[in-house]
Amino acid sequence: MQMRRTGAVFAVAALALGVAACGGNKTYASLSEKLKDSNEVTVGTKWDQPSLGLKQGDAPVGFDVDVAKAVLTEINGGKEPKITWKESASSNREAFLANGTVDIIFATYSITDARKPKVTFGGPYVIAHQDVMVRKDDTSITKPQDLANKRICKAAGSNSYKRITEPPPDGQLGLSTAKTVDAANYSECVQKLSGSNLDAVTTDDLILAGFAKQAGGNFKILGQPFTDEKYGIGLKKGDKTTCEAVNVAVKKLWDNGTMKQLLDKWFGGTEGLKLSETAPPAEGCS
């Protein structure tokens, strides 16, 4: 009798699972499989970084947005997918991938050893370099080493400040006397710099270039890069199938000139900025 009741429970459970699968909660082994089946994808980008990912109307615009469209179209067999855009700040990128809020992230997402255990990275698709931005009339900071005893921004979820304040291997300059000022994101960092609540903003040169361009000449970039920041394409940990497809797409976009066109479109002519000319080598999917 007990065995018959147990079998009945298992049968009901199996039926419930089948209904759930047919009811729209379908899961996929990879993003590539999802694209093939549904032609839909949710993409995480920044919404507050001019020239990279800045929300205008209902969707963001910028370099990362254009790269996302191009890469996803390539891995979708040349068919542009239906994209839902989701703001992904530095502080929530890993969580959004892990819990399925987004399928893939293009958001100035530097590939680091600390992030690799949580994220499978495609790319990099471009290499940025950490630099320093100051107010146009500031003559006291002419090189990164001048940030000793200065106020620099500490944006939530970003490790750029560590490159200044800590020695190798985690940092670069070891300027422990630099004072960090907290901010929710880099747009707030720039606001604080405008209001003289900071002496400098230091992060990737592409991020700085976008803000400098938006500010119309109120800021200057020192043009003295001191790190390589490999911008990766974030995928849920273990999605090697999509990662490999992404790497093929990135190489093709460099080979056919699309990446150079997009870099020139969004960053061309920025003083102190040297743009990448060649495709960075892929990291390998792990």
Side-chain angles (χ1 to χ4, degrees):
M1 188 67 174
Q2 178 63 36
M3 289 178 64
R4 285 198 294 271
R5 284 199 297 268
T6 302
V9 170
F10 285 156
V12 171
L15 178 61
L17 286 173
V19 171
C22 294
N25 295 321
K26 187 171 182 178
T27 58
Y28 298 93
S30 68
L31 174 55
S32 296
E33 181 183 322
K34 178 181 177 179
L35 277 171
K36 183 178 180 180
D37 183 63
S38 70
N39 196 47
E40 295 182 355
V41 58
T42 300
V43 179
T45 64
K46 297 293 181 66
W47 284 15
D48 67 333
Q49 292 182 348
S51 295
L52 282 156
L54 183 68
K55 189 178 182 185
Q56 290 187 357
D58 295 331
V61 298
F63 175 71
D64 277 350
V65 176
D66 285 352
V67 171
K69 292 176 181 177
V71 168
L72 289 167
T73 298
E74 284 293 332
I75 68 174
N76 198 35
K79 180 182 179 182
E80 186 173 344
K82 179 182 178 182
I83 297 176
T84 299
W85 301 100
K86 179 73 175 179
E87 182 178 17
S88 298
S90 297
S91 56
N92 60 28
R93 291 177 296 200
E94 283 86 10
F96 276 11
L97 285 170
N99 65 27
T101 299
V102 300
D103 297 310
I104 191 168
I105 290 181
F106 296 77
T108 62
Y109 206 177
S110 295
I111 300 171
T112 67
D113 289 339
R115 290 170 177 159
K116 285 181 178 180
K118 301 176 182 179
V119 179
T120 290
F121 281 105
Y125 56 97
V126 72
I127 296 181
H129 310 278
Q130 186 161 339
D131 210 319
V132 178
M133 184 171 75
V134 299
R135 288 181 290 277
K136 186 73 171 180
D137 59 357
D138 189 340
T139 58
S140 67
I141 301 173
T142 61
K143 58 185 182 298
Q145 289 76 13
D146 292 337
L147 294 176
N149 301 309
K150 298 292 187 179
R151 298 167 299 170
I152 64 172
C153 202
K154 179 182 176 182
S158 174
N159 58 15
S160 293
Y161 75 95
K162 292 182 180 180
R163 307 281 198 242
I164 302 296
T165 60
E166 297 183 10
D170 295 328
Q172 291 287 329
L173 303 183
L175 302 178
S176 59
T177 59
K179 305 174 181 67
T180 59
V181 177
D182 289 339
N185 48 45
Y186 279 108
S187 58
E188 185 177 341
C189 288
V190 175
Q191 291 172 6
K192 289 178 181 290
L193 183 61
S194 298
S196 298
N197 296 313
L198 282 174
D199 297 306
V201 176
T202 175
T203 188
D204 308 348
D205 52 7
L206 295 182
I207 297 175
L208 297 177
F211 282 115
K213 187 174 181 179
Q214 184 186 57
N218 292 331
F219 304 122
K220 61 184 177 183
I221 299 172
L222 298 187
Q224 298 191 38
F226 55 93
T227 68
D228 289 338
E229 304 296 334
K230 296 175 285 189
Y231 281 5
I233 298 162
L235 292 159
K236 190 168 185 176
K237 185 62 181 177
D239 190 355
K240 295 183 181 180
T241 300
T242 306
C243 177
E244 290 167 357
V246 161
N247 287 344
V248 171
V250 168
K251 184 179 186 305
K252 181 177 178 179
L253 292 170
W254 272 103
D255 289 346
N256 66 21
T258 299
M259 294 296 294
K260 186 177 187 308
Q261 291 172 5
L262 293 178
L263 284 167
D264 289 340
K265 171 185 174 181
W266 291 105
F267 305 107
T270 304
E271 183 178 355
L273 178 66
K274 184 177 180 181
L275 295 172
S276 297
E277 296 286 340
T278 58
E283 285 281 291
C285 300
S286 60

